[in-house]
Amino acid sequence: MNIRANHPPTAEMQATDAAHHLHPFTHGDALNAKGTRVITRAEGVTLTDSDGKQYLDGMAGLWCVNIGYGRNELADVAARQMRDLPYYNTFFQTAHPPVIALAKRLAELMPEGLNHTFFAGSGSEANDTNLRLVRSYWAAKGKPEKRIFISRKNAYHGSSMGSASLGGMQAMHGQGGLPIPDIVHIDQPYWYGEGGDTDPAEFGLQRARLLEEEIARLGEENVAAFIAEPIQGAGGVIVPPETYWPEIQRICDAHDILLIADEVICGFGRTGNWFGSETYAIRPDIMTIAKGLSSGYAPIGGSVVSDEVAETINAMGEFYHGYTYSGHPVAAAVALENLRILEEDGIVDHARDVAAPYLAEKWAQLADHPIVGEARCKGMLAAVELTPDKSARAPFSTPVGQVGLRTRETCFENGLVMRNVRDSMIVSPPLILTRGDIDTLIDRAVKSLDETHAWLKAEGLMTAG
Ligand SMILES: *Cc1c(COP(=O)(O)O)cnc(C)c1O
């Protein structure tokens, strides 16, 4: 590799990292025993590490680098904004040009009726905003007892106290005294894992109707909102049966509750449309956005709310809520430039018309692999479920996640970033992937699955085939 080093030697950085850096969602001792992987550069869809090894980034960072790496326009916009106005707040009856322009641009892009954005620094913060905003909304409407949020098991809505409580990750709830009160979780529309012999369409209806049962149990007068990701991301790319969302929408319409679509992953082209709400014909009252909003080039998130919610909040007096970096000028300018590129370069169109159909075609072929129990795909999101016995959709006898983690490491060795969730493997690549990139992704995935299969056989862990 002929790459100019922009960093100290790998071993030195690993030692320093182990000494001083606490990593998110990581077992520290296990990481420090082997040393962190240090990513130093990226261009297009390719990452380079500190040893010069290159990887196809099948995860677009963390589901966010929708336009790909190395777009200098964003760097230029950020530098210009830092010179003009690096920071100013939006609290003191003040604003600045980038945040005003971004709020307008979002209103243009959003589904009808979502015309007002409350900005945050991340998706977690935006969902915390939703908790306070929705409860304040109902209080302002004279219904302060409408406080309960209904969410779903295995949902991911962020890592702060509020957003992790909204989420349904049991391992997260086990640490730090979560969930906070007045948040309940219903079962998810995860057919492969929980559908058994039920037909997927019927299963989708059953899981949607749990919402109506929960509203009845709690009393409609106590329920504030239902929050869900159009497609669950961190939970394992759980693509709901087509029957699920129409029934959820019917239930939300029939009862006096708000519908919050958490589009932190699904937004900005990921599902082949600008928003997952378009893909599934969802009409949310509030949409959570982050990640692809700036393609990860700057931290920014937001809650986009309906005219009715905005009018109520605006009329109620002061909303005692906000972040120092709500509508940060550099992040807002970068987001605006990202949205321009997504549109003017036709990246959302490319995802819908070229990349997603080709990925779907190639990904479906993985279903024939001896350790794949299901291969599912929607837009630029895809997952394979690993199993020792295809016909039974059986789990491995090893602790959950062990085979997945091993496969993830094998993928890294083979030059592919593919993440595991439990014992499934998922991708959420940059939307700019070409057909050639998709061929490379699939080749490396198959090679990695073959190696995992060989290991499983050698260890006697295959129960069929
Ligand atoms: C990542 C994510 C969040 C949290 O966003 P952060 O920017 O990490 O705080 C919230 N909701 C969903 C659906 C996400 O995928």
Side-chain angles (χ1 to χ4, degrees), residues 342-417:
L342 274 175
E343 188 182 33
E344 289 183 12
D345 282 12
I347 292 175
V348 178
D349 297 339
H350 169 81
R352 184 189 54 236
D353 300 334
V354 179
Y358 192 62
L359 180 65
E361 180 191 326
K362 300 291 285 191
W363 195 262
Q365 294 168 8
L366 297 178
D368 296 333
H369 195 278
I371 65 167
V372 170
E374 182 184 70
R376 55 178 179 266
C377 196
K378 186 86 179 176
M380 296 300 279
L381 288 166
V384 288
E385 298 273 358
L386 306 186
T387 175
D389 183 353
K390 289 168 83 80
S391 56
R393 280 146 63 191
F396 292 100
S397 57
T398 44
V400 174
Q402 190 173 311
V403 175
L405 196 63
R406 191 189 162 87
T407 306
R408 185 186 82 181
E409 293 308 302
T410 304
C411 288
F412 266 108
E413 283 161 26
N414 290 327
L416 173 65
V417 180

Side-chain angles (χ1 to χ4, degrees), residues 122-124 127 156-158 229 262 264-265 291:
S122 67
S124 301
N127 278 326
Y156 188 78
H157 296 300
E229 304 151 81
D262 184 341
V264 170
I265 285 175
K291 294 194 171 120

Side-chain angles (χ1 to χ4, degrees), residues 25 62-64 121-127 155-160 163 227-235 261-266 288-291 299-301 419:
F25 284 96
L62 263 181
W63 324 82
C64 54
S122 67
S124 301
E125 288 179 5
N127 278 326
Y156 188 78
H157 296 300
S159 252
S160 59
S163 61
I227 181 168
E229 304 151 81
I231 295 170
Q232 285 156 267
D262 184 341
E263 297 241 20
V264 170
I265 285 175
C266 292
T288 318
I289 55 174
K291 294 194 171 120
I300 185 167
R419 173 176 169 184

Side-chain angles (χ1 to χ4, degrees), residues 37-57:
R37 198 173 270 112
V38 184
I39 304 299
T40 54
R41 293 176 185 281
E43 182 66 34
V45 301
T46 305
L47 305 168
T48 304
D49 75 13
S50 54
D51 296 328
K53 184 172 167 59
Q54 298 200 314
Y55 310 85
L56 175 64
D57 185 6

Side-chain angles (χ1 to χ4, degrees), residues 216-420:
R217 189 180 73 80
L218 295 163
E220 184 175 316
E221 66 283 5
N222 298 312
V223 179
F226 174 66
I227 181 168
E229 304 151 81
I231 295 170
Q232 285 156 267
V237 181
I238 293 170
V239 181
E242 291 294 328
T243 50
Y244 182 78
W245 272 109
E247 185 67 359
I248 289 284
Q249 184 68 57
R250 179 195 69 73
I251 293 165
C252 289
D253 290 345
H255 302 278
D256 190 22
I257 68 168
L258 298 182
L259 172 54
I260 306 171
D262 184 341
E263 297 241 20
V264 170
I265 285 175
C266 292
F268 307 102
R270 177 60 55 198
T271 68
N273 293 298
W274 274 91
F275 300 99
S277 291
E278 294 164 69
T279 300
Y280 287 106
I282 305 167
R283 285 177 281 101
D285 299 287
I286 298 178
M287 192 189 287
T288 318
I289 55 174
K291 294 194 171 120
L293 169 58
S294 65
S295 283
Y297 281 64
I300 185 167
S303 304
V304 191
V305 310
S306 70
D307 296 340
E308 207 264 330
V309 169
E311 280 160 22
T312 305
I313 293 295
N314 281 336
M316 82 181 180
E318 182 168 346
F319 181 33
Y320 302 105
H321 180 79
Y323 307 106
T324 302
Y325 300 139
S326 285
H328 190 285
V330 177
V334 167
L336 205 52
E337 183 66 1
N338 172 61
L339 297 179
R340 186 191 68 74
I341 290 173
L342 274 175
E343 188 182 33
E344 289 183 12
D345 282 12
I347 292 175
V348 178
D349 297 339
H350 169 81
R352 184 189 54 236
D353 300 334
V354 179
Y358 192 62
L359 180 65
E361 180 191 326
K362 300 291 285 191
W363 195 262
Q365 294 168 8
L366 297 178
D368 296 333
H369 195 278
I371 65 167
V372 170
E374 182 184 70
R376 55 178 179 266
C377 196
K378 186 86 179 176
M380 296 300 279
L381 288 166
V384 288
E385 298 273 358
L386 306 186
T387 175
D389 183 353
K390 289 168 83 80
S391 56
R393 280 146 63 191
F396 292 100
S397 57
T398 44
V400 174
Q402 190 173 311
V403 175
L405 196 63
R406 191 189 162 87
T407 306
R408 185 186 82 181
E409 293 308 302
T410 304
C411 288
F412 266 108
E413 283 161 26
N414 290 327
L416 173 65
V417 180
M418 179 156 76
R419 173 176 169 184
N420 76 298

Side-chain angles (χ1 to χ4, degrees), residues 17-35:
D17 185 78
H20 301 294
H21 182 196
L22 295 173
H23 287 242
F25 284 96
T26 296
H27 178 182
D29 281 352
L31 169 64
N32 294 339
K34 62 195 278 257

